[in-house]
Amino acid sequence: MKKIRFADFTVVCLLLFVHGPAAAQLKVKPDGNVGIGTNNPVTRLHVYGEGLVDSYAPPWGRAFWTRVHHNDAGSYFLWNSGLGRDVFFVNGRGWQWSMQGTYTGADGSMMEGMAPIESPMEAVRQLKGIRFRYRGDSGGGEGDGYRLGFVAREVALVVPEAVKIMQDSTGAIAYNALVPLLVEAVKEQQEQIDALRAFISYQEEELIRLKRRRWSR
């Protein structure tokens, strides 16, 4: 392996600082902080400007990843300087929080093979909601208290579109994928309620007519 001479390294550094201290492309401070596009890096790596990770990671590979050593450490934060606050973050337990919620692409131009959901009420009746806590060794966070949810492999038997088996063979649920099913189930139930109301109304009218006939005799 060819060794890099100190003189060569010096030339590279000079090229990086070609625009002078006010616009240094790379800055290494005595405390070890590295700045790209800034002369005053305040963290181990401080980038001022746009960034790009161009990765050819294989399936389930990590194009960019962060390792944290505390459950409540923030692994990713998005700060809005105009609002003066965080608007999105992910912590070490995998919690995600967004100030404005999350949107999923759903434009009709992206879709094909659209079809009605068949027997939504029957599907909902087969789902079994549970109250549970994550085990301490599962990564869900020991002591987080009880939650409400489903068992992924049970849901897969009813709504396979809402379940994905991860790299480590554990099941995961896209809970938002259950919303269309619930909407259609409520609509189906409402149709049944409306039909029963109409039947009851008809029976009441028939009863009134029978009473009138009896009184008219």
Side-chain angles (χ1 to χ4, degrees), residues 77-97:
F77 281 83
L78 179 61
W79 172 272
N80 186 310
S81 58
L83 297 176
R85 60 167 297 164
D86 294 313
V87 294
F88 177 84
F89 70 79
V90 180
N91 78 350
R93 299 173 189 259
W95 284 95
Q96 299 179 30
W97 177 87

Side-chain angles (χ1 to χ4, degrees), residues 40-54:
N40 187 32
V42 296
T43 59
R44 282 290 177 255
L45 177 61
H46 184 167
V47 179
Y48 182 83
E50 297 178 348
L52 170 66
V53 176
D54 193 356

Side-chain angles (χ1 to χ4, degrees), residues 10-83:
T10 303
V11 171
V12 172
C13 290
L14 289 174
L15 289 173
L16 290 172
F17 283 88
V18 67
H19 295 295
Q25 296 182 29
L26 177 66
K27 176 73 173 183
V28 181
K29 294 182 67 176
D31 60 5
N33 288 353
V34 177
I36 299 177
T38 176
N39 283 324
N40 187 32
V42 296
T43 59
R44 282 290 177 255
L45 177 61
H46 184 167
V47 179
Y48 182 83
E50 297 178 348
L52 170 66
V53 176
D54 193 356
S55 171
Y56 290 90
W60 296 102
R62 298 177 178 181
F64 183 83
W65 60 290
T66 302
R67 177 181 292 171
V68 295
H69 299 279
H70 299 283
N71 286 340
D72 293 321
S75 59
Y76 178 79
F77 281 83
L78 179 61
W79 172 272
N80 186 310
S81 58
L83 297 176

Side-chain angles (χ1 to χ4, degrees), residues 169-199:
S169 298
T170 59
I173 299 175
Y175 281 94
N176 60 342
L178 298 176
V179 173
L181 176 68
L182 296 176
V183 169
E184 293 304 311
V186 170
K187 289 164 61 177
E188 182 180 342
Q189 185 181 58
Q190 189 61 47
E191 289 176 358
Q192 295 174 359
I193 293 173
D194 291 342
L196 287 173
R197 284 176 174 172
F199 178 73

